[in-house]
């Protein structure tokens, strides 16, 4: 396996790897058909084995404090994507990608990474194993058709929402438990040594 910088020719493999890796997580429906591009500079690495993309990490980073990351002091990098193809789980690929990204980040003068994830306990355990600390959270709530009654309404005449995705930062999450799909979105942060 080699870890190298992402190249444009990797896009299809990147999309396949990310889609399959997110399939059995709370982000199963966060599907892309092309690779994301960033407004700021980014560390974009792939893990390749036998001409197949088996892992990836994308970290958009700051040149000015608080322009990418939401917290912390100094310049940071936001991990937007870290993924390992499910056929290659438990081989240390994610850890190797993260370590390589950290080395590059330190050389760029960054002092930390920030990452947001949902409430998949195995993902949270991985971040904690990689020495990230949980620092914040809020909720992602999905509404469909009748679930929106009394909660979501449009203000445009004759326009009726049938699905909605919302961020909830309040304390009364129980009002949404039931039919709605609710995920705690958790922020992890790691300062470099």
């Amino acid at each position: 396996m080699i870890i190298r910088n992402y190249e444009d020719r990797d896009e299809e493999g990147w999309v396949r790897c990310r889609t399959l890796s997110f399939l059995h997580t709370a982000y199963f429906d966060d599907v892309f058909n092309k690779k994301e591009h960033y407004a700021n500079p980014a560390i974009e690495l792939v893990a390749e084995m036998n001409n197949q993309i088996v892992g990836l990490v994308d970290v958009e980073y700051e040149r000015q404090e608080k322009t990418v990351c939401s917290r912390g002091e100094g310049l940071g990098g936001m991990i937007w994507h870290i993924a390992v193809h499910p056929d290659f789980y438990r081989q240390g690929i994610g850890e190797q990608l993260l370590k390589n990204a950290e080395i590059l980040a330190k050389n760029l003068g960054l002092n930390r990474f920030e990452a947001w994830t949902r409430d998949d306990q195995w993902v949270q355990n991985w971040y904690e194993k990689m020495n990230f600390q949980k620092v914040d959270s809020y909720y992602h709530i999905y509404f469909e058709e009748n679930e929106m009654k009394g909660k979501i309404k449009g203000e445009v005449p004759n326009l009726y929402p049938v699905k909605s995705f919302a961020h909830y930062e309040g304390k009364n999450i129980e009002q949404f438990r039931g039919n709605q799909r609710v995920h705690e979105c958790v922020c992890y942060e790691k300062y470099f040594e």
Side-chain angles (χ1 to χ4, degrees), residues 62-122:
E62 301 173 319
R63 291 186 204 152
Q64 183 179 346
E65 199 172 320
K66 302 256 190 311
T67 55
V68 175
C69 294
S70 60
R71 46 184 310 108
E73 307 253 337
L75 299 178
M78 177 66 73
I79 299 175
W80 288 118
H81 308 286
I82 187 162
V84 174
H85 189 292
D87 291 347
F88 298 90
Y89 282 172
R90 303 223 176 273
Q91 296 181 30
I93 295 169
E95 184 173 355
Q96 289 178 40
L97 283 161
L98 179 63
K99 285 181 180 179
N100 278 275
E102 283 181 20
I103 291 167
L104 293 170
K106 288 178 194 177
N107 291 338
L108 291 165
L110 306 183
N111 71 345
R112 73 187 182 293
F113 280 158
E114 187 175 310
W116 287 87
T117 189
R118 287 194 183 149
D119 46 12
D120 291 300
Q121 191 60 53
W122 67 275

Side-chain angles (χ1 to χ4, degrees), residues 3-41:
I3 294 178
R4 59 173 177 76
N5 287 325
Y6 170 86
E7 299 173 7
D8 290 342
R9 66 181 170 88
D10 298 321
E11 184 172 36
E12 185 174 337
W14 186 98
V15 169
R16 286 174 185 258
C17 181
R18 185 189 179 283
T19 301
L20 289 173
S21 72
F22 281 39
L23 186 60
H24 298 290
T25 73
Y27 277 109
F28 68 90
D29 57 351
D30 189 32
V31 178
F32 295 165
N33 64 2
K34 60 185 176 183
K35 185 179 181 311
E36 190 171 6
H37 296 281
Y38 305 102
N40 296 287

Side-chain angles (χ1 to χ4, degrees), residues 181-193:
R181 194 172 118 212
V182 176
H183 295 285
E184 184 179 18
C185 190
V186 181
C187 180
Y188 281 92
E189 187 175 62
K190 177 181 184 176
Y191 279 85
F192 305 140
E193 298 173 7

Side-chain angles (χ1 to χ4, degrees), residues 110-174:
L110 306 183
N111 71 345
R112 73 187 182 293
F113 280 158
E114 187 175 310
W116 287 87
T117 189
R118 287 194 183 149
D119 46 12
D120 291 300
Q121 191 60 53
W122 67 275
V123 176
Q124 292 181 10
N125 291 344
W126 183 84
Y127 276 111
E128 290 169 13
K129 180 181 171 189
M130 298 298 112
N131 298 313
F132 282 76
Q133 303 296 316
K134 181 179 177 179
V135 293
D136 200 2
S137 71
Y138 67 93
Y139 293 90
H140 284 170
I141 304 172
Y142 291 82
F143 298 92
E144 292 189 29
E145 299 172 11
N146 292 334
E147 297 170 345
M148 290 187 281
K149 286 186 179 172
K151 294 182 178 100
I152 305 284
K153 64 181 177 182
E155 297 197 15
V156 176
N158 301 315
L159 179 67
Y160 305 99
V162 293
K163 290 185 180 186
S164 178
F165 167 69
H167 289 195
Y168 179 68
E169 296 177 354
K171 301 288 184 207
N172 185 13
I173 193 61
E174 293 308 315

